[in-house]
Amino acid sequence: MSSYKKNAFTYATIVAVGGFIFGLDAALISGTVNFITEEFSLNPLQLGFVVGAPSIGVLLALFFAGSACNYLGRKKTLQIIAALYLVSAVSSALAPSYWALVAARFLGGLAFSSISVASMYIGEIAPPKWRGKLVSMTQINIVLGLSAAYFINYLIIQFTNSDVSWVDNLGLRENTWRWMLGSEILPALIWLTLLYFIPRSPSWLMFNGKTEEAKNTLRKIIPEDEVTLNIQEMQNSMDISEQDHSIVSQLKQIFSKPMRVTFIIATTIAIAQQSTGINAILFYAPTVFEQIGGGSDAAFMQSIWIGLTSVVFTILGLLLVDKLGRRPLIIWGMVWIILSLGLCFYGFNSARYTINNNAIVELNEINNPERLNAIVGVEYDSDISFKKALEETLGEVDARNHESVLIQKAAKINAILILIGILSFIAAFHFSVGPVMWVLFSEIFPISIRGIAIPFFTLLTSIVSSMVQVFFPKQLATFGISNTLLFYAITVAIGLVILYKYLIETKGLTIEEIQLKLQNK
């Protein structure tokens, strides 16, 4: 491999590590749900806020990410983001109260803009034929981070259930959730260090009139005979755009008539990606698996399967994104997502819940389990009606704290069918709209507005993501798991219809060629 190819790959890899930190930060909380709910006596909405706090924080960050990328540069913005991850991890692990934990996680959410900024940077240093693969590296790192988080949580749980002396010496048993969240500290520190070794983006340098420095950076990542042509293409792209580089001017361009098709594509995929409910599954993975009736330990183990499936199909999508193209992966991937969610809906909707006398005898975890005698032998046709009966007999606190074991005892459910449906959904997402959205975002905006456009549409997808995360526990308690998944499937179907009409193929094209194709759509 030539030196410029090695450099492009190295810089992209370093920046893509931000995806690993994002995935780690996002999924570690899934293992802490029961612990923090019990320690801080949280109701479903409070739980939703602590889990979804980062997605709310990123909404604020994305208002400033575009300006930071334009005025400070992509590199410095990434360094600030890495520092925020580090501070958030330390603060979360040491949080003395519920609101301190919410604040610490909100601070981490300010760093969640790492995904959009990383995609922007990699898209600007990657050769056109490599762009799909290199931008998708961020998504691969996200799923590696998710997998690492699920494995770390599972490992910590196993240690707390052992009799090893060092577990007590380190306070692992008493501070289980703090160790889970604190495991992010070292990776965040490593990423912050590595970011000092990447160059500044050539597109940003051109945007700020630093032509010679842009040429020097390009010489590190493309052959010498292509440097002049790349400089000219970037200059032409800026010349045909507005000369006013203010935020207001760039926002006006996003909503302008020439950008109409681009706007429709970006808006639809930004909403549809998170409307799949992916972050409800990923961030509440053990909680979702507890609904199958396998118990807490099994739920943590099954969460690892989510991580492994994510990795395998993200890599597969990465290998095919520049061969099959963006449009086929998006369109057929969304069809796959809808079918998978439909399978999960059928499995949960056909479940029945009944507590029998033998189950009550075995319930050592609950004080005065005879309180359940009032519902012995009664069959409930949904998780909602069963949970409501538990609250009426045990009270809200006991019902919530022992929900997992009670569902395990009562559920008559096709667990294998639902597990297949969930893993199929995870595979479909990470094969298609998961990584390919970021590839599209790195391609469909002209240089003159991408510093604002990518954070703007990332803000949109983050708003949807925050709503999914914050309200999922409430949806679970109000509508039930089956109807919640059906709602996700319907919203994805609407997005599929729109993208089928407007989405163009962008593989193998330069950013300038993509602009012409979009304007002629």
Side-chain angles (χ1 to χ4, degrees):
M1 184 183 290
S2 58
S3 59
Y4 63 85
K5 289 182 179 179
K6 288 181 181 178
N7 288 336
F9 180 81
T10 299
Y11 301 147
T13 301
I14 289 174
V15 172
V17 170
F20 180 88
I21 310 300
F22 172 89
L24 198 65
D25 189 288
L28 283 171
I29 192 66
S30 68
T32 72
V33 166
N34 289 339
F35 296 103
I36 61 177
T37 296
E38 186 172 353
E39 180 164 335
F40 298 123
S41 300
L42 306 183
N43 61 40
L45 197 55
Q46 288 174 320
L47 174 61
F49 270 108
V50 76
V51 173
S55 66
I56 299 173
V58 75
L59 301 183
L60 176 62
L62 289 170
F63 279 109
F64 303 100
S67 298
C69 286
N70 283 345
Y71 296 109
L72 298 178
R74 286 47 158 163
K75 177 179 178 177
K76 286 186 178 179
T77 302
L78 285 167
Q79 290 171 329
I80 293 171
I81 286 169
L84 287 171
Y85 272 129
L86 180 60
V87 174
S88 171
V90 174
S91 302
S92 296
L94 300 177
S97 66
Y98 166 72
W99 285 111
L101 180 58
V102 170
R105 287 185 51 73
F106 177 87
L107 184 64
L110 299 178
F112 272 24
S113 54
S114 60
I115 305 306
S116 63
V117 180
S119 298
M120 184 191 309
Y121 179 92
I122 296 173
E124 292 172 350
I125 60 102
K129 64 180 180 180
W130 284 15
R131 191 186 306 117
K133 288 185 174 64
L134 293 183
V135 172
S136 294
M137 285 175 60
T138 299
Q139 187 68 26
I140 281 200
N141 276 276
I142 290 175
V143 297
L144 287 173
L146 293 171
S147 299
Y150 295 138
F151 181 75
I152 289 169
N153 286 344
Y154 176 75
L155 201 61
I156 290 175
I157 288 296
Q158 295 308 302
F159 284 141
T160 59
N161 292 332
S162 70
D163 296 324
V164 184
S165 59
W166 60 264
V167 169
D168 291 317
N169 294 337
L170 292 177
L172 200 64
R173 217 183 307 275
E174 295 77 14
N175 300 290
T176 304
W177 67 268
R178 297 181 185 278
W179 279 95
M180 289 176 175
L181 298 182
S183 63
E184 182 187 342
I185 295 173
L186 182 59
L189 180 60
I190 292 173
W191 187 45
L192 176 59
T193 303
L194 290 174
L195 286 173
Y196 283 92
F197 297 96
I198 65 171
R200 293 191 287 184
S201 160
S203 294
W204 179 80
L205 292 168
M206 283 293 295
F207 182 77
N208 285 274
K210 302 177 184 292
T211 305
E212 287 305 314
E213 191 172 347
K215 288 181 179 179
N216 291 334
T217 299
L218 286 172
R219 291 188 180 100
K220 298 177 182 179
I221 55 178
I222 61 174
E224 177 66 37
D225 57 2
E226 296 179 14
V227 171
T228 301
L229 178 60
N230 270 259
I231 290 292
Q232 188 60 52
E233 286 182 343
M234 285 190 282
Q235 188 62 56
N236 291 341
S237 177
M238 290 189 292
D239 288 343
I240 63 176
S241 301
E242 295 283 346
Q243 296 303 308
D244 181 2
H245 291 161
S246 68
I247 294 177
V248 173
S249 175
Q250 292 182 61
L251 286 173
K252 284 182 179 179
Q253 287 187 64
I254 292 174
F255 290 94
S256 67
K257 187 175 181 180
M259 292 287 292
R260 182 182 67 90
V261 174
T262 302
F263 181 85
I264 292 172
I265 293 171
T267 300
T268 303
I269 197 168
I271 295 173
Q273 194 215 43
Q274 289 303 314
S275 293
T276 60
I278 185 64
N279 284 340
I281 304 297
L282 295 179
F283 295 6
Y284 295 92
T287 302
V288 172
F289 282 121
E290 284 176 5
Q291 307 303 305
I292 298 176
S296 296
D297 288 345
F300 274 95
M301 185 63 203
Q302 287 162 341
S303 298
I304 295 178
W305 283 104
I306 284 184
L308 294 175
T309 302
S310 301
V311 171
V312 170
F313 281 88
T314 300
I315 292 174
L316 186 59
L318 170 67
L319 295 175
L320 296 177
V321 67
D322 285 324
K323 293 181 180 179
L324 298 181
R326 285 58 158 158
R327 180 181 166 88
L329 288 183
I330 288 287
I331 299 301
W332 290 107
M334 292 177 76
V335 171
W336 185 2
I337 287 171
I338 293 168
L339 293 175
S340 300
L341 289 173
L343 190 64
C344 294
F345 165 76
Y346 173 78
F348 280 116
N349 194 53
S350 60
R352 298 295 180 266
Y353 303 84
T354 307
I355 285 284
N356 56 42
N357 286 314
N358 291 334
I360 292 180
V361 172
E362 296 170 359
L363 289 172
N364 300 321
E365 302 92 340
I366 302 176
N367 293 326
N368 302 321
E370 60 273 7
R371 289 178 289 169
L372 293 167
N373 287 337
I375 61 172
V376 167
V378 179
E379 182 177 273
Y380 296 91
D381 61 2
S382 72
D383 56 319
I384 289 298
S385 58
F386 178 64
K387 291 174 185 176
K388 185 176 180 180
L390 292 179
E391 287 187 9
E392 291 173 351
T393 55
L394 296 178
E396 183 179 349
V397 175
D398 278 354
R400 184 173 61 236
N401 290 341
H402 301 292
E403 180 180 294
S404 172
V405 67
L406 289 168
I407 289 178
Q408 180 184 2
K409 298 292 186 183
K412 295 177 182 177
I413 192 169
N414 193 334
I416 298 299
L417 179 69
I418 295 173
L419 180 59
I420 291 172
I422 290 175
L423 294 181
S424 176
F425 163 67
I426 295 297
F429 178 87
H430 287 100
F431 182 73
S432 59
V433 291
V436 182
M437 185 186 81
W438 300 110
V439 176
L440 285 174
F441 278 8
S442 74
E443 295 176 328
I444 62 176
F445 303 113
I447 291 173
S448 59
I449 65 169
R450 59 179 36 231
I452 294 298
I454 293 179
F456 176 82
F457 286 102
T458 303
L459 173 63
L460 180 58
T461 201
S462 296
I463 290 172
V464 180
S465 175
S466 66
M467 292 174 66
V468 168
Q469 294 173 53
V470 170
F471 292 110
F472 179 70
K474 190 66 175 178
Q475 284 181 302
L476 206 59
T478 306
F479 304 116
I481 184 68
S482 59
N483 289 330
T484 299
L485 295 177
L486 179 62
F487 171 77
Y488 295 152
I490 292 171
T491 56
V492 174
I494 295 171
L496 172 61
V497 172
I498 298 172
L499 289 174
Y500 184 82
K501 180 178 180 180
Y502 289 102
L503 184 60
I504 66 167
E505 183 53 70
T506 60
K507 74 168 183 175
L509 302 177
T510 65
I511 292 174
E512 291 70 29
E513 290 170 337
I514 293 169
Q515 305 313 310
L516 291 175
K517 191 173 181 180
L518 285 167
Q519 290 173 18
N520 294 328
K521 174 72 172 175

